[in-house]
Structure formats: C-alpha cells, structure tokens
Amino acid sequence: MISAMIHGFILAFGLILPLGVQNVFVFNQGATQPKFRRALPVIFTASLCDTLLISLAILGISVIVLGVYWIKVVLLTVGILFLAYMGYVTWKSKPKTNFSEDKALTPKKQIAFAASVSLLNPHAIMDTIGVIGTSSISYIGVEKIGFTLACIITSWIWFFSLALAGRVVGRLNNSRGFIAILNKVSALIMWGTAIYLFISLIK
C-alpha cells in the first residue's frame, strides 16, 4: 500500500505542478484577497473539483469519456470557448492598488470561476482521466484506496500551499506590478491552451 501511495503522490504532484489556468487563478486569489481566509472558497472549490475528477477517473469514467468521440468533441468545444473568454477577461483585468474587501472577488464568484477552470478545462480532465485513471488500473483493494487518497491529499495540500504563496507575494510592495504580469501570463496560458485544444480537435 505504501508503494501505491508514493506512486499516487508523485503522479498527482507531477500533473498538478505545471503552470496552468487553475493554478494561476488560485495563486492570484491568494495574492489579491485582503485576508487568507477569504481565499478559502477558491481553495476548497479547486480541491473538491480535483477530488471529483480523480474519483471519477479511478472509478472508470475514463473509459466512457475517452471512448465516445462526441463526448470528447463537446468537451473540447466548450473548453475552447470558455478558455478564450476567460483569457480575454483576465487580460483586461487590472490589479487593485489596495486589497479592500469590496474590490476582491466575492466567495460566489470565486467558487464559480474555480469550478469553471477546474471542470471546463479539457486538458486537465484528459490528464486526470487518462493518466491517473489509467495508472489506477494496476491496483486493487486497499492499494487502490491508498493510491486514490494519495492523489487527493496531494491536490488539497498543493492548493492550500499555492494560495498561501500567493498571499506572501501579494503583500510585497511591488505586488501590483507582479499581479499585472501574472494576469497577462495567465491570459496567454489560457489562449495557448485553447489553441492547443483546437488543433487537437481538428486533427
């Protein structure tokens, strides 16, 4: 079971580490919210969405998603349109000169955006289902449970750490300039992902 958990930890960490839409959004909220506790909605939402995707992947939903062509087409199309729109909104957004509560994203908006970038990101879904789902096939019983828990726990620890890192950076004197750059980078990542998905769709 220990080896299965180590495998799950390394695999989940490797998948979640790259700078993507979900990671940038969580980091950004940690940096812009006036208090760390006000970033909890985005942390919990991102973590719960990952927990859902990991659980579905290991339960075998990957066979359905990866096996039915029209499901993949719909998923990719929705994801492309969403990422293109979110990229535009993020590019146009301007960092605040202060961190007053009335200018920060409300909990409802945090939850909505976090759920969107988590569940409407086909690239992340395919990674989770294709890699974690496929890797879990080699385990049964207690080992599969250990593998699953390791993947989920890694996700939760990562998002808490990411938001905390964002908060530390957000408190720096030059944070406004950093967040402005972060927004631009985030938008470019979203557009780049959308283009990549579009190319994979028309192939």
Side-chain angles (χ1 to χ4, degrees):
M1 180 176 176
I2 298 299
S3 60
M5 293 186 72
I6 293 174
H7 181 206
F9 170 78
I10 295 173
L11 192 63
F13 187 72
L15 286 177
I16 204 171
L17 183 61
L19 184 66
V21 179
Q22 188 185 42
N23 283 344
V24 172
F25 183 71
V26 174
F27 182 90
N28 205 322
Q29 287 307 297
T32 56
Q33 291 296 329
K35 296 181 181 178
F36 182 74
R37 62 181 175 81
R38 284 181 58 85
L40 290 178
V42 71
I43 296 172
F44 280 108
T45 303
S47 300
L48 287 171
C49 286
D50 263 27
T51 299
L52 175 63
L53 290 178
I54 291 169
S55 300
L56 291 177
I58 293 175
L59 286 173
I61 301 300
S62 56
V63 177
I64 298 175
V65 175
L66 297 178
V68 182
Y69 178 74
W70 70 266
I71 292 180
K72 290 176 65 177
V73 171
V74 171
L75 186 64
L76 287 171
T77 302
V78 172
I80 290 168
L81 295 175
F82 169 75
L83 288 172
Y85 170 75
M86 282 297 294
Y88 173 79
V89 172
T90 304
W91 183 273
K92 290 291 185 181
S93 65
K94 297 180 180 179
K96 309 301 180 184
T97 54
N98 56 64
F99 297 97
S100 60
E101 296 194 6
D102 60 320
K103 292 183 178 180
L105 278 184
T106 64
K108 287 184 178 180
K109 287 185 177 180
Q110 284 187 62
I111 292 171
F113 284 147
S116 298
V117 298
S118 301
L119 300 177
L120 292 180
N121 185 348
H123 194 268
I125 293 174
M126 293 302 176
D127 276 353
T128 303
I129 290 176
V131 179
I132 293 180
T134 302
S135 299
S136 69
I137 294 175
S138 59
Y139 299 111
I140 58 174
V142 177
E143 286 189 336
K144 177 167 283 193
I145 294 175
F147 176 82
T148 304
L149 289 176
C151 291
I152 292 173
I153 291 171
T154 300
S155 177
W156 281 78
I157 292 174
W158 172 257
F159 288 125
F160 267 96
S161 302
L162 197 60
L164 187 59
R167 172 155 182 86
V168 172
V169 172
R171 301 287 112 14
L172 300 177
N173 291 332
N174 61 346
S175 63
R176 190 170 184 269
F178 178 82
I179 293 171
I181 295 174
L182 184 65
N183 285 340
K184 302 300 183 187
V185 171
S186 178
L188 291 174
I189 291 173
M190 292 181 195
W191 288 333
T193 304
I195 292 171
Y196 172 80
L197 294 174
F198 179 73
I199 293 173
S200 66
L201 180 62
I202 62 177
K203 278 185 178 180

Short mmCIF file of all heavy atoms in Angstrom, two decimals, residues 18-81:
data_model
loop_
_atom_site.label_atom_id
_atom_site.label_comp_id
_atom_site.label_asym_id
_atom_site.label_seq_id
_atom_site.Cartn_x
_atom_site.Cartn_y
_atom_site.Cartn_z
N PRO A 18 2.63 21.87 -13.22
CA PRO A 18 2.79 22.86 -14.30
C PRO A 18 1.87 24.07 -14.15
O PRO A 18 0.74 23.96 -13.66
CB PRO A 18 2.43 22.05 -15.56
CG PRO A 18 2.70 20.64 -15.19
CD PRO A 18 2.33 20.53 -13.75
N LEU A 19 2.38 25.23 -14.59
CA LEU A 19 1.62 26.48 -14.50
C LEU A 19 0.45 26.43 -15.48
O LEU A 19 0.62 26.49 -16.68
CB LEU A 19 2.53 27.66 -14.83
CG LEU A 19 1.91 29.05 -14.68
CD1 LEU A 19 1.58 29.34 -13.23
CD2 LEU A 19 2.88 30.11 -15.23
N GLY A 20 -0.76 26.29 -14.96
CA GLY A 20 -1.95 26.23 -15.79
C GLY A 20 -3.01 27.20 -15.31
O GLY A 20 -2.79 27.96 -14.36
N VAL A 21 -4.15 27.18 -15.96
CA VAL A 21 -5.23 28.10 -15.65
C VAL A 21 -5.67 27.99 -14.19
O VAL A 21 -5.81 28.99 -13.49
CB VAL A 21 -6.44 27.83 -16.57
CG1 VAL A 21 -7.58 28.78 -16.24
CG2 VAL A 21 -6.03 27.97 -18.03
N GLN A 22 -5.88 26.78 -13.74
CA GLN A 22 -6.35 26.55 -12.37
C GLN A 22 -5.34 27.04 -11.33
O GLN A 22 -5.69 27.74 -10.38
CB GLN A 22 -6.61 25.05 -12.18
CG GLN A 22 -7.30 24.68 -10.88
CD GLN A 22 -7.40 23.17 -10.72
OE1 GLN A 22 -6.47 22.44 -11.03
NE2 GLN A 22 -8.55 22.69 -10.28
N ASN A 23 -4.08 26.69 -11.53
CA ASN A 23 -3.03 27.10 -10.59
C ASN A 23 -2.88 28.61 -10.52
O ASN A 23 -2.76 29.19 -9.43
CB ASN A 23 -1.69 26.48 -10.99
CG ASN A 23 -1.60 25.01 -10.61
OD1 ASN A 23 -2.37 24.52 -9.81
ND2 ASN A 23 -0.64 24.32 -11.19
N VAL A 24 -2.89 29.26 -11.67
CA VAL A 24 -2.73 30.72 -11.71
C VAL A 24 -3.89 31.41 -11.00
O VAL A 24 -3.71 32.38 -10.27
CB VAL A 24 -2.61 31.22 -13.17
CG1 VAL A 24 -2.64 32.74 -13.22
CG2 VAL A 24 -1.33 30.71 -13.79
N PHE A 25 -5.10 30.90 -11.19
CA PHE A 25 -6.27 31.51 -10.57
C PHE A 25 -6.22 31.38 -9.05
O PHE A 25 -6.50 32.35 -8.33
CB PHE A 25 -7.56 30.87 -11.10
CG PHE A 25 -8.81 31.50 -10.56
CD1 PHE A 25 -9.19 32.77 -10.93
CD2 PHE A 25 -9.59 30.82 -9.63
CE1 PHE A 25 -10.34 33.37 -10.41
CE2 PHE A 25 -10.74 31.39 -9.10
CZ PHE A 25 -11.11 32.67 -9.50
N VAL A 26 -5.85 30.21 -8.55
CA VAL A 26 -5.75 30.01 -7.10
C VAL A 26 -4.66 30.92 -6.52
O VAL A 26 -4.87 31.57 -5.49
CB VAL A 26 -5.44 28.53 -6.77
CG1 VAL A 26 -5.18 28.36 -5.27
CG2 VAL A 26 -6.61 27.64 -7.19
N PHE A 27 -3.51 30.97 -7.18
CA PHE A 27 -2.42 31.83 -6.73
C PHE A 27 -2.85 33.29 -6.72
O PHE A 27 -2.58 34.03 -5.77
CB PHE A 27 -1.21 31.64 -7.64
CG PHE A 27 0.00 32.43 -7.23
CD1 PHE A 27 0.94 31.90 -6.36
CD2 PHE A 27 0.20 33.72 -7.71
CE1 PHE A 27 2.05 32.63 -5.98
CE2 PHE A 27 1.30 34.46 -7.34
CZ PHE A 27 2.24 33.91 -6.47
N ASN A 28 -3.54 33.70 -7.78
CA ASN A 28 -4.00 35.08 -7.92
C ASN A 28 -4.96 35.47 -6.80
O ASN A 28 -4.87 36.57 -6.24
CB ASN A 28 -4.68 35.26 -9.28
CG ASN A 28 -4.62 36.70 -9.75
OD1 ASN A 28 -4.76 37.60 -8.96
ND2 ASN A 28 -4.43 36.89 -11.05
N GLN A 29 -5.85 34.57 -6.45
CA GLN A 29 -6.79 34.85 -5.36
C GLN A 29 -6.09 34.94 -4.02
O GLN A 29 -6.43 35.76 -3.16
CB GLN A 29 -7.89 33.79 -5.31
CG GLN A 29 -8.89 33.89 -6.44
CD GLN A 29 -9.49 35.27 -6.54
OE1 GLN A 29 -10.16 35.74 -5.64
NE2 GLN A 29 -9.24 35.94 -7.66
N GLY A 30 -5.07 34.11 -3.83
CA GLY A 30 -4.30 34.20 -2.60
C GLY A 30 -3.60 35.55 -2.50
O GLY A 30 -3.45 36.11 -1.42
N ALA A 31 -3.19 36.10 -3.65
CA ALA A 31 -2.48 37.37 -3.67
C ALA A 31 -3.41 38.57 -3.53
O ALA A 31 -3.03 39.59 -2.95
CB ALA A 31 -1.68 37.49 -4.98
N THR A 32 -4.62 38.48 -4.05
CA THR A 32 -5.49 39.66 -4.10
C THR A 32 -6.52 39.75 -2.98
O THR A 32 -7.05 40.83 -2.72
CB THR A 32 -6.24 39.70 -5.45
OG1 THR A 32 -6.97 38.47 -5.63
CG2 THR A 32 -5.28 39.88 -6.61
N GLN A 33 -6.82 38.64 -2.32
CA GLN A 33 -7.80 38.69 -1.23
C GLN A 33 -7.21 39.42 -0.02
O GLN A 33 -6.03 39.23 0.30
CB GLN A 33 -8.25 37.29 -0.83
CG GLN A 33 -9.10 36.58 -1.87
CD GLN A 33 -10.43 37.27 -2.13
OE1 GLN A 33 -11.01 37.90 -1.24
NE2 GLN A 33 -10.91 37.17 -3.37
N PRO A 34 -8.00 40.24 0.67
CA PRO A 34 -7.49 41.01 1.83
C PRO A 34 -7.05 40.15 2.99
O PRO A 34 -6.15 40.52 3.74
CB PRO A 34 -8.68 41.90 2.22
CG PRO A 34 -9.88 41.19 1.68
CD PRO A 34 -9.43 40.53 0.40
N LYS A 35 -7.66 38.99 3.16
CA LYS A 35 -7.28 38.06 4.21
C LYS A 35 -7.24 36.64 3.63
O LYS A 35 -8.00 36.31 2.73
CB LYS A 35 -8.28 38.11 5.38
CG LYS A 35 -8.33 39.46 6.08
CD LYS A 35 -9.33 39.44 7.23
CE LYS A 35 -9.39 40.79 7.93
NZ LYS A 35 -10.39 40.81 9.01
N PHE A 36 -6.35 35.82 4.19
CA PHE A 36 -6.18 34.46 3.65
C PHE A 36 -7.47 33.66 3.73
O PHE A 36 -7.79 32.90 2.81
CB PHE A 36 -5.07 33.72 4.41
CG PHE A 36 -4.81 32.35 3.88
CD1 PHE A 36 -4.14 32.16 2.68
CD2 PHE A 36 -5.25 31.23 4.58
CE1 PHE A 36 -3.91 30.88 2.18
CE2 PHE A 36 -5.03 29.95 4.09
CZ PHE A 36 -4.35 29.78 2.88
N ARG A 37 -8.23 33.84 4.80
CA ARG A 37 -9.46 33.07 4.95
C ARG A 37 -10.47 33.38 3.85
O ARG A 37 -11.33 32.57 3.55
CB ARG A 37 -10.09 33.30 6.32
CG ARG A 37 -10.51 34.73 6.61
CD ARG A 37 -11.10 34.88 8.01
NE ARG A 37 -11.41 36.25 8.35
CZ ARG A 37 -12.51 36.88 7.95
NH1 ARG A 37 -13.40 36.25 7.17
NH2 ARG A 37 -12.74 38.14 8.30
N ARG A 38 -10.34 34.58 3.25
CA ARG A 38 -11.26 34.92 2.16
C ARG A 38 -10.89 34.24 0.85
O ARG A 38 -11.64 34.30 -0.12
CB ARG A 38 -11.30 36.45 1.98
CG ARG A 38 -12.11 37.16 3.07
CD ARG A 38 -12.13 38.66 2.84
NE ARG A 38 -12.69 39.02 1.54
CZ ARG A 38 -14.00 39.15 1.29
NH1 ARG A 38 -14.88 38.95 2.25
NH2 ARG A 38 -14.42 39.49 0.09
N ALA A 39 -9.74 33.58 0.83
CA ALA A 39 -9.35 32.79 -0.35
C ALA A 39 -9.74 31.32 -0.19
O ALA A 39 -9.55 30.52 -1.10
CB ALA A 39 -7.84 32.90 -0.58
N LEU A 40 -10.30 30.98 0.97
CA LEU A 40 -10.69 29.59 1.22
C LEU A 40 -11.72 29.06 0.22
O LEU A 40 -11.64 27.88 -0.16
CB LEU A 40 -11.22 29.44 2.66
CG LEU A 40 -10.17 29.57 3.77
CD1 LEU A 40 -10.83 29.44 5.15
CD2 LEU A 40 -9.08 28.52 3.62
N PRO A 41 -12.69 29.88 -0.23
CA PRO A 41 -13.64 29.35 -1.22
C PRO A 41 -12.98 28.81 -2.49
O PRO A 41 -13.35 27.74 -2.99
CB PRO A 41 -14.53 30.56 -1.53
CG PRO A 41 -14.49 31.37 -0.27
CD PRO A 41 -13.09 31.22 0.23
N VAL A 42 -11.97 29.53 -2.99
CA VAL A 42 -11.30 29.08 -4.21
C VAL A 42 -10.45 27.83 -3.92
O VAL A 42 -10.38 26.92 -4.75
CB VAL A 42 -10.42 30.20 -4.82
CG1 VAL A 42 -9.19 30.49 -3.99
CG2 VAL A 42 -10.00 29.83 -6.24
N ILE A 43 -9.85 27.77 -2.73
CA ILE A 43 -9.05 26.61 -2.36
C ILE A 43 -9.91 25.36 -2.26
O ILE A 43 -9.59 24.31 -2.84
CB ILE A 43 -8.32 26.86 -1.02
CG1 ILE A 43 -7.34 28.02 -1.14
CG2 ILE A 43 -7.61 25.59 -0.56
CD1 ILE A 43 -6.73 28.45 0.18
N PHE A 44 -11.01 25.48 -1.52
CA PHE A 44 -11.90 24.33 -1.33
C PHE A 44 -12.55 23.89 -2.64
O PHE A 44 -12.68 22.70 -2.91
CB PHE A 44 -12.98 24.65 -0.28
CG PHE A 44 -12.50 24.52 1.13
CD1 PHE A 44 -12.29 25.64 1.93
CD2 PHE A 44 -12.24 23.28 1.68
CE1 PHE A 44 -11.83 25.53 3.22
CE2 PHE A 44 -11.79 23.15 2.99
CZ PHE A 44 -11.58 24.28 3.76
N THR A 45 -12.95 24.86 -3.46
CA THR A 45 -13.60 24.52 -4.72
C THR A 45 -12.65 23.80 -5.66
O THR A 45 -12.99 22.77 -6.25
CB THR A 45 -14.14 25.79 -5.42
OG1 THR A 45 -15.04 26.46 -4.54
CG2 THR A 45 -14.87 25.43 -6.71
N ALA A 46 -11.44 24.34 -5.82
CA ALA A 46 -10.45 23.69 -6.69
C ALA A 46 -10.11 22.29 -6.18
O ALA A 46 -10.01 21.34 -6.97
CB ALA A 46 -9.19 24.55 -6.76
N SER A 47 -9.95 22.17 -4.87
CA SER A 47 -9.61 20.87 -4.28
C SER A 47 -10.74 19.86 -4.45
O SER A 47 -10.51 18.69 -4.78
CB SER A 47 -9.29 21.04 -2.79
OG SER A 47 -8.20 21.91 -2.59
N LEU A 48 -11.98 20.31 -4.21
CA LEU A 48 -13.13 19.41 -4.36
C LEU A 48 -13.34 18.98 -5.81
O LEU A 48 -13.68 17.83 -6.08
CB LEU A 48 -14.40 20.09 -3.83
CG LEU A 48 -14.49 20.22 -2.30
CD1 LEU A 48 -15.67 21.11 -1.90
CD2 LEU A 48 -14.64 18.84 -1.65
N CYS A 49 -13.10 19.92 -6.73
CA CYS A 49 -13.24 19.58 -8.16
C CYS A 49 -12.19 18.55 -8.56
O CYS A 49 -12.49 17.60 -9.30
CB CYS A 49 -13.09 20.83 -9.02
SG CYS A 49 -14.52 21.93 -8.97
N ASP A 50 -10.97 18.73 -8.08
CA ASP A 50 -9.92 17.74 -8.36
C ASP A 50 -10.25 16.39 -7.73
O ASP A 50 -10.01 15.34 -8.32
CB ASP A 50 -8.57 18.25 -7.83
CG ASP A 50 -7.76 18.91 -8.93
OD1 ASP A 50 -8.38 19.43 -9.88
OD2 ASP A 50 -6.51 18.93 -8.85
N THR A 51 -10.80 16.43 -6.51
CA THR A 51 -11.21 15.20 -5.84
C THR A 51 -12.26 14.47 -6.67
O THR A 51 -12.20 13.24 -6.83
CB THR A 51 -11.78 15.51 -4.44
OG1 THR A 51 -10.77 16.13 -3.64
CG2 THR A 51 -12.25 14.24 -3.75
N LEU A 52 -13.21 15.23 -7.21
CA LEU A 52 -14.26 14.65 -8.05
C LEU A 52 -13.67 14.02 -9.30
O LEU A 52 -13.99 12.87 -9.65
CB LEU A 52 -15.28 15.72 -8.43
CG LEU A 52 -16.39 15.30 -9.40
CD1 LEU A 52 -17.26 14.21 -8.78
CD2 LEU A 52 -17.23 16.52 -9.79
N LEU A 53 -12.80 14.76 -9.99
CA LEU A 53 -12.20 14.25 -11.23
C LEU A 53 -11.34 13.01 -10.97
O LEU A 53 -11.40 12.04 -11.75
CB LEU A 53 -11.35 15.35 -11.87
CG LEU A 53 -12.09 16.54 -12.46
CD1 LEU A 53 -11.12 17.57 -13.01
CD2 LEU A 53 -13.06 16.10 -13.57
N ILE A 54 -10.56 13.04 -9.90
CA ILE A 54 -9.71 11.90 -9.57
C ILE A 54 -10.56 10.67 -9.25
O ILE A 54 -10.30 9.56 -9.72
CB ILE A 54 -8.79 12.23 -8.37
CG1 ILE A 54 -7.74 13.27 -8.78
CG2 ILE A 54 -8.11 10.97 -7.84
CD1 ILE A 54 -6.96 13.85 -7.63
N SER A 55 -11.63 10.89 -8.46
CA SER A 55 -12.51 9.78 -8.08
C SER A 55 -13.20 9.17 -9.30
O SER A 55 -13.26 7.94 -9.45
CB SER A 55 -13.56 10.27 -7.08
OG SER A 55 -12.95 10.77 -5.91
N LEU A 56 -13.71 10.03 -10.18
CA LEU A 56 -14.38 9.55 -11.39
C LEU A 56 -13.40 8.81 -12.30
O LEU A 56 -13.75 7.79 -12.89
CB LEU A 56 -15.01 10.72 -12.15
CG LEU A 56 -16.22 11.39 -11.48
CD1 LEU A 56 -16.68 12.58 -12.31
CD2 LEU A 56 -17.37 10.39 -11.31
N ALA A 57 -12.19 9.33 -12.39
CA ALA A 57 -11.18 8.69 -13.24
C ALA A 57 -10.86 7.29 -12.74
O ALA A 57 -10.79 6.34 -13.52
CB ALA A 57 -9.91 9.54 -13.27
N ILE A 58 -10.68 7.16 -11.44
CA ILE A 58 -10.32 5.87 -10.86
C ILE A 58 -11.50 4.90 -10.86
O ILE A 58 -11.32 3.68 -10.95
CB ILE A 58 -9.77 6.07 -9.43
CG1 ILE A 58 -8.43 6.82 -9.52
CG2 ILE A 58 -9.59 4.74 -8.70
CD1 ILE A 58 -7.82 7.19 -8.19
N LEU A 59 -12.72 5.45 -10.81
CA LEU A 59 -13.91 4.58 -10.83
C LEU A 59 -14.21 4.05 -12.23
O LEU A 59 -15.09 3.21 -12.41
CB LEU A 59 -15.13 5.35 -10.30
CG LEU A 59 -15.17 5.59 -8.79
CD1 LEU A 59 -16.32 6.51 -8.42
CD2 LEU A 59 -15.28 4.26 -8.04
N GLY A 60 -13.50 4.57 -13.24
CA GLY A 60 -13.67 4.01 -14.57
C GLY A 60 -14.39 4.88 -15.57
O GLY A 60 -14.68 4.44 -16.68
N ILE A 61 -14.71 6.13 -15.21
CA ILE A 61 -15.38 7.02 -16.15
C ILE A 61 -14.49 7.32 -17.35
O ILE A 61 -14.96 7.67 -18.43
CB ILE A 61 -15.76 8.36 -15.45
CG1 ILE A 61 -16.67 8.07 -14.26
CG2 ILE A 61 -16.47 9.30 -16.40
CD1 ILE A 61 -17.97 7.38 -14.62
N SER A 62 -13.17 7.14 -17.16
CA SER A 62 -12.23 7.40 -18.25
C SER A 62 -12.55 6.58 -19.48
O SER A 62 -12.37 7.03 -20.61
CB SER A 62 -10.80 7.09 -17.78
OG SER A 62 -10.70 5.77 -17.31
N VAL A 63 -13.04 5.37 -19.28
CA VAL A 63 -13.37 4.51 -20.41
C VAL A 63 -14.47 5.13 -21.25
O VAL A 63 -14.44 5.09 -22.49
CB VAL A 63 -13.83 3.12 -19.89
CG1 VAL A 63 -14.25 2.24 -21.06
CG2 VAL A 63 -12.72 2.46 -19.10
N ILE A 64 -15.45 5.77 -20.59
CA ILE A 64 -16.57 6.39 -21.30
C ILE A 64 -16.13 7.64 -22.03
O ILE A 64 -16.37 7.82 -23.22
CB ILE A 64 -17.71 6.74 -20.31
CG1 ILE A 64 -18.24 5.46 -19.64
CG2 ILE A 64 -18.83 7.47 -21.02
CD1 ILE A 64 -19.27 5.71 -18.57
N VAL A 65 -15.43 8.53 -21.30
CA VAL A 65 -15.03 9.82 -21.86
C VAL A 65 -14.06 9.65 -23.02
O VAL A 65 -14.19 10.28 -24.07
CB VAL A 65 -14.42 10.72 -20.77
CG1 VAL A 65 -13.89 12.01 -21.38
CG2 VAL A 65 -15.46 11.03 -19.71
N LEU A 66 -13.06 8.79 -22.82
CA LEU A 66 -12.05 8.61 -23.85
C LEU A 66 -12.54 7.71 -24.99
O LEU A 66 -11.96 7.71 -26.07
CB LEU A 66 -10.77 8.01 -23.24
CG LEU A 66 -10.07 8.89 -22.19
CD1 LEU A 66 -8.85 8.16 -21.64
CD2 LEU A 66 -9.66 10.22 -22.79
N GLY A 67 -13.61 6.98 -24.74
CA GLY A 67 -14.09 6.03 -25.75
C GLY A 67 -15.20 6.55 -26.64
O GLY A 67 -15.43 6.01 -27.72
N VAL A 68 -15.92 7.57 -26.21
CA VAL A 68 -17.04 8.10 -27.00
C VAL A 68 -16.60 9.41 -27.66
O VAL A 68 -16.34 10.40 -26.98
CB VAL A 68 -18.28 8.35 -26.11
CG1 VAL A 68 -19.44 8.86 -26.96
CG2 VAL A 68 -18.67 7.06 -25.39
N TYR A 69 -16.56 9.40 -29.00
CA TYR A 69 -15.99 10.53 -29.75
C TYR A 69 -16.76 11.82 -29.53
O TYR A 69 -16.17 12.88 -29.28
CB TYR A 69 -15.97 10.19 -31.24
CG TYR A 69 -15.44 11.32 -32.09
CD1 TYR A 69 -14.09 11.62 -32.11
CD2 TYR A 69 -16.31 12.10 -32.86
CE1 TYR A 69 -13.60 12.66 -32.87
CE2 TYR A 69 -15.82 13.14 -33.63
CZ TYR A 69 -14.47 13.41 -33.63
OH TYR A 69 -13.99 14.45 -34.39
N TRP A 70 -18.09 11.79 -29.56
CA TRP A 70 -18.85 13.04 -29.49
C TRP A 70 -18.75 13.70 -28.11
O TRP A 70 -18.82 14.93 -28.00
CB TRP A 70 -20.32 12.81 -29.86
CG TRP A 70 -21.13 12.03 -28.87
CD1 TRP A 70 -21.37 10.70 -28.87
CD2 TRP A 70 -21.83 12.55 -27.73
NE1 TRP A 70 -22.17 10.34 -27.80
CE2 TRP A 70 -22.47 11.46 -27.09
CE3 TRP A 70 -21.98 13.83 -27.19
CZ2 TRP A 70 -23.22 11.61 -25.94
CZ3 TRP A 70 -22.75 13.98 -26.03
CH2 TRP A 70 -23.36 12.88 -25.43
N ILE A 71 -18.54 12.90 -27.08
CA ILE A 71 -18.34 13.47 -25.74
C ILE A 71 -17.05 14.27 -25.71
O ILE A 71 -16.99 15.38 -25.16
CB ILE A 71 -18.31 12.36 -24.66
CG1 ILE A 71 -19.69 11.70 -24.52
CG2 ILE A 71 -17.88 12.95 -23.31
CD1 ILE A 71 -19.75 10.61 -23.48
N LYS A 72 -16.00 13.73 -26.33
CA LYS A 72 -14.74 14.43 -26.41
C LYS A 72 -14.87 15.73 -27.20
O LYS A 72 -14.32 16.77 -26.83
CB LYS A 72 -13.68 13.53 -27.05
CG LYS A 72 -13.24 12.37 -26.19
CD LYS A 72 -12.27 11.47 -26.91
CE LYS A 72 -10.97 12.17 -27.22
NZ LYS A 72 -9.98 11.27 -27.87
N VAL A 73 -15.64 15.68 -28.31
CA VAL A 73 -15.82 16.86 -29.16
C VAL A 73 -16.55 17.97 -28.39
O VAL A 73 -16.14 19.14 -28.41
CB VAL A 73 -16.60 16.51 -30.44
CG1 VAL A 73 -16.98 17.78 -31.21
CG2 VAL A 73 -15.77 15.60 -31.32
N VAL A 74 -17.63 17.61 -27.70
CA VAL A 74 -18.40 18.59 -26.92
C VAL A 74 -17.53 19.18 -25.81
O VAL A 74 -17.51 20.40 -25.58
CB VAL A 74 -19.67 17.94 -26.32
CG1 VAL A 74 -20.34 18.89 -25.33
CG2 VAL A 74 -20.64 17.55 -27.42
N LEU A 75 -16.82 18.31 -25.12
CA LEU A 75 -15.96 18.75 -24.02
C LEU A 75 -14.89 19.72 -24.50
O LEU A 75 -14.67 20.78 -23.90
CB LEU A 75 -15.30 17.52 -23.38
CG LEU A 75 -14.47 17.74 -22.11
CD1 LEU A 75 -15.35 18.25 -20.99
CD2 LEU A 75 -13.78 16.46 -21.71
N LEU A 76 -14.26 19.38 -25.61
CA LEU A 76 -13.21 20.24 -26.15
C LEU A 76 -13.77 21.57 -26.65
O LEU A 76 -13.17 22.62 -26.42
CB LEU A 76 -12.49 19.52 -27.30
CG LEU A 76 -11.56 18.37 -26.89
CD1 LEU A 76 -11.09 17.61 -28.12
CD2 LEU A 76 -10.37 18.90 -26.11
N THR A 77 -14.92 21.54 -27.31
CA THR A 77 -15.52 22.76 -27.84
C THR A 77 -15.88 23.74 -26.73
O THR A 77 -15.57 24.94 -26.80
CB THR A 77 -16.77 22.44 -28.67
OG1 THR A 77 -16.42 21.55 -29.74
CG2 THR A 77 -17.37 23.71 -29.27
N VAL A 78 -16.55 23.24 -25.71
CA VAL A 78 -16.93 24.07 -24.57
C VAL A 78 -15.68 24.63 -23.89
O VAL A 78 -15.62 25.81 -23.53
CB VAL A 78 -17.77 23.28 -23.55
CG1 VAL A 78 -17.99 24.09 -22.27
CG2 VAL A 78 -19.12 22.90 -24.16
N GLY A 79 -14.69 23.78 -23.73
CA GLY A 79 -13.45 24.21 -23.08
C GLY A 79 -12.72 25.30 -23.87
O GLY A 79 -12.21 26.25 -23.29
N ILE A 80 -12.69 25.16 -25.18
CA ILE A 80 -12.02 26.15 -26.04
C ILE A 80 -12.70 27.51 -25.91
O ILE A 80 -12.04 28.54 -25.72
CB ILE A 80 -12.03 25.69 -27.51
CG1 ILE A 80 -11.09 24.49 -27.69
CG2 ILE A 80 -11.60 26.84 -28.44
CD1 ILE A 80 -11.23 23.80 -29.02
N LEU A 81 -14.02 27.53 -26.00
CA LEU A 81 -14.77 28.79 -25.90
C LEU A 81 -14.60 29.42 -24.52
O LEU A 81 -14.41 30.64 -24.40
CB LEU A 81 -16.26 28.53 -26.18
CG LEU A 81 -16.60 28.08 -27.60
CD1 LEU A 81 -18.08 27.74 -27.71
CD2 LEU A 81 -16.23 29.16 -28.61
#
